[in-house]
């Protein structure tokens, strides 16, 4: 597990939209989302335990749908003021925790498939 910390003032200005029920989130299609500007849609999967299902679309940034959105997870954790586990895209899992009034930490696991640097 790798963790990073960032100050809230450095986060991109994500549009955050809660969607209920969760099936509506899963059914979002590109015809609707292609006209949106960097929007993270989310729904509670298990509110008691802080588990969220999310999808991110940012066609204005040339990202039709992001598999994982770390900065969006951090923004949402800050808005909610609680630790969250975000199941994102096709199954990526991110963990975000407000650390102070000024910062949030983000954790997750990754597999390096190809090395692009020395």
């Amino acid at each position: 597990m790798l963790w990073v910390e960032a100050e809230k003032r450095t986060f991109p200005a994500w549009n955050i939209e809660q969607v209920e029920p969760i099936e509506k989130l899963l059914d979002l299609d590109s015809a609707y989302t292609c006209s949106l500007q960097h929007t993270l849609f989310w729904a509670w999967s298990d509110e008691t335990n802080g588990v969220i299902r999310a999808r991110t679309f940012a066609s204005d940034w040339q990202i039709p749908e992001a598999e994982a959105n770390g900065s969006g997870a951090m923004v949402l954790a800050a808005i909610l003021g609680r630790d969250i586990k975000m199941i994102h895209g096709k199954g990526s899992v991110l963990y975000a925790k407000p650390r102070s009034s000024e910062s949030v930490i983000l954790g997750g696991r990754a597999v390096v498939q190809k090395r692009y640097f020395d």
Side-chain angles (χ1 to χ4, degrees), residues 26-38:
L26 300 175
D27 288 339
L28 289 172
D29 65 21
S30 61
Y32 171 68
T33 60
C34 70
S35 64
L36 300 175
Q37 294 187 348
H38 49 281

Side-chain angles (χ1 to χ4, degrees), residues 12-19 25 28 32-42 54-61 63-66 68-69 71-73 75-76 86 88:
W14 284 101
N15 297 305
I16 308 287
E17 291 191 31
Q18 185 175 7
V19 177
L25 171 79
L28 289 172
Y32 171 68
T33 60
C34 70
S35 64
L36 300 175
Q37 294 187 348
H38 49 281
T39 303
L40 181 143
F41 293 94
W42 70 279
R55 295 179 69 192
T56 298
F57 302 91
S59 59
D60 56 321
W61 293 344
I63 305 169
E65 182 169 2
N69 178 351
S71 62
V75 168
L76 186 54
M86 180 181 282
H88 205 286

Side-chain angles (χ1 to χ4, degrees), residues 23-108:
E23 291 77 21
K24 186 175 176 184
L25 171 79
L26 300 175
D27 288 339
L28 289 172
D29 65 21
S30 61
Y32 171 68
T33 60
C34 70
S35 64
L36 300 175
Q37 294 187 348
H38 49 281
T39 303
L40 181 143
F41 293 94
W42 70 279
W44 287 113
S45 177
D46 179 352
E47 186 172 1
T48 302
N49 292 307
V51 181
I52 287 172
R53 180 65 172 93
R55 295 179 69 192
T56 298
F57 302 91
S59 59
D60 56 321
W61 293 344
Q62 287 70 53
I63 305 169
E65 182 169 2
E67 175 60 30
N69 178 351
S71 62
M74 295 170 94
V75 168
L76 186 54
I79 289 169
L80 297 174
R82 66 179 286 185
D83 296 2
I84 60 172
K85 174 182 179 180
M86 180 181 282
I87 300 165
H88 205 286
K90 296 175 184 168
S92 296
V93 180
L94 302 171
Y95 301 88
K97 303 177 181 189
R99 185 151 174 109
S100 69
S101 63
E102 301 300 321
S103 69
V104 177
I105 60 173
L106 175 77

